[in-house]
Amino acid sequence: MPNSLAFLTMTLWPFVTLAMYLLLPARTAVIWSILAGYLLLPAGMTLDLPGVPGMTKQNVPAVFGYFFASAMLGRLIPLVPKSLAGRILVGLLLLGPVFTVVTNGDPVYIGNDTVLPGLRPYDAASMIVNQFGFLSIWALSREVLSDRTALRQLVTAFVIAFLWYSLPMLYEVRMSPQLHTQIYGFFPHSFQQMMRQGGFRPIVFLEHGLWIAILTSMAVMLAVVLARDAAPGRKLRWYAAAFYLLIVLVLCKSIAALLYAVLLMPMLLLFSGRRLAQIAMLMGVLVLTYPLLRSFDVIPTDSLVETAAEYSAERAQSLEFRFVNEDMLLSRAMQRPLFGWGGWGRNSVYDPQTGENISTTDGLWIIAMGYGGYAGFIGQFGLLLLPIFMLTGAYRRTGQEVSVFAAGVAVVLAVNLVDLLPNATITPVTWLFSGAMLGYLENLRRGEVGTGTAPAAAVPASARPRFSGLVGQPVAGPRTLV
């Protein structure tokens, strides 16, 4: 049960977000209001207010930040991007729930006693409003973090955030994951799942140890990207940060997250921007075609389980459990493949005799498929993958080679999306990076931003203008909302 401090922090965070927008440059406010909100607010808690959907740590900073930023700009920040593909994908994401409700008006009968209700128009509105939380992050970053300097600031802030976050992580590795309970009065997940390899893996204020592991893995790789992009005198500090965070990642005791970093770090160190862009695109194709590959049994699940068994019988059992449940849930999803089953547990698999739910949903892809069908899956994953597929074409229009920095960020984003196949580790960070990359590439295609390789850090502080709100004009007086 959350304590009073948990409710207080959730209630006060909109005011903290407002203070950031009033006192900080717009880019800094967008980045740190979302990063700090996600890393510090209590996980697994919903603040229910009359007449509005439940507010969580994922959507409180984004929704309020979206309206604060729009007020400063004097217009609503568009949720729909400029590219045709982006418009279609946003349309799928926002209109798909309407068709899901239309095709799911019938109840689902389970056994003799249980009935899952049919969906109503209210459910469509609720589903669309829930999408707005993540879309607002994506729209904010696409609007505000849409040039190379802003993208580098985002990457730098993320790595610095995890350098600081590593301190409570190391504390929990040694003392056990207790900070969430000690500060907010409850534990957001199963404590037993935080015990691994004779010790503990950290969770701090996130949803699960897997979440903190994949984000740490991303921070390791992004530190390498920053090192390659930095001025000669600053490279060593970022390589040192990457090495330190790699040690922290090992202590997170997540094999998949560690493999991502170990396999991709040499590529991020050595490959050209064009080659890195191709790697990111290949991972993107895998993610987008995964439901079809699983439907046609192309993925060698048995071989993957056997390979995992050579390392650990426990890991092999866990992987096999995931694949078995994916098969059950995919079979259920294919009964309504276009728009899915919607909510209320209608997408789950139940024992026909007892009515007990016998399925477990782990990967975000199968959740999206069961909930919204191919329309929901393509809308969500296509939108996140859009900047990865745009990267090479956007640079080709400029007549220059793909930037190693932009391609490196694309690879790290692709890694996060690949991890959404076995896990549901989507976070505000995922949408933040996808939106910033898309905004940068959209402007690049129109020739509105440069492609130079000089890092932002090389610009002296005295030469950087101060800004008020989002209008990008030098400020002489106080920042205001009007």
Side-chain angles (χ1 to χ4, degrees), residues 201-268:
R201 56 185 181 185
I203 183 172
V204 193
F205 304 124
L206 302 191
E207 296 88 341
H208 191 282
L210 293 174
W211 270 246
I212 207 167
I214 185 61
L215 291 178
T216 306
S217 180
M218 292 170 64
V220 171
M221 291 182 281
L222 287 173
V224 173
V225 173
L226 285 171
R228 283 199 69 180
D229 186 64
R234 296 175 179 266
K235 290 182 180 292
L236 184 58
R237 67 178 65 180
W238 291 118
Y239 283 130
F243 179 74
Y244 166 73
L245 288 171
L246 183 62
I247 295 173
V248 176
L249 178 60
V250 172
L251 297 175
C252 288
K253 302 178 179 67
S254 174
I255 299 302
L258 182 59
L259 280 176
Y260 298 147
V262 170
L263 291 176
L264 289 169
M265 280 175 67
M267 302 179 192
L268 292 170

Side-chain angles (χ1 to χ4, degrees), residues 402-427:
V402 179
S403 160
V404 171
F405 176 74
V409 175
V411 168
V412 176
L413 175 61
V415 167
N416 190 183
L417 297 176
V418 167
D419 195 61
L420 297 180
L421 300 179
N423 302 306
T425 48
I426 190 166
T427 70

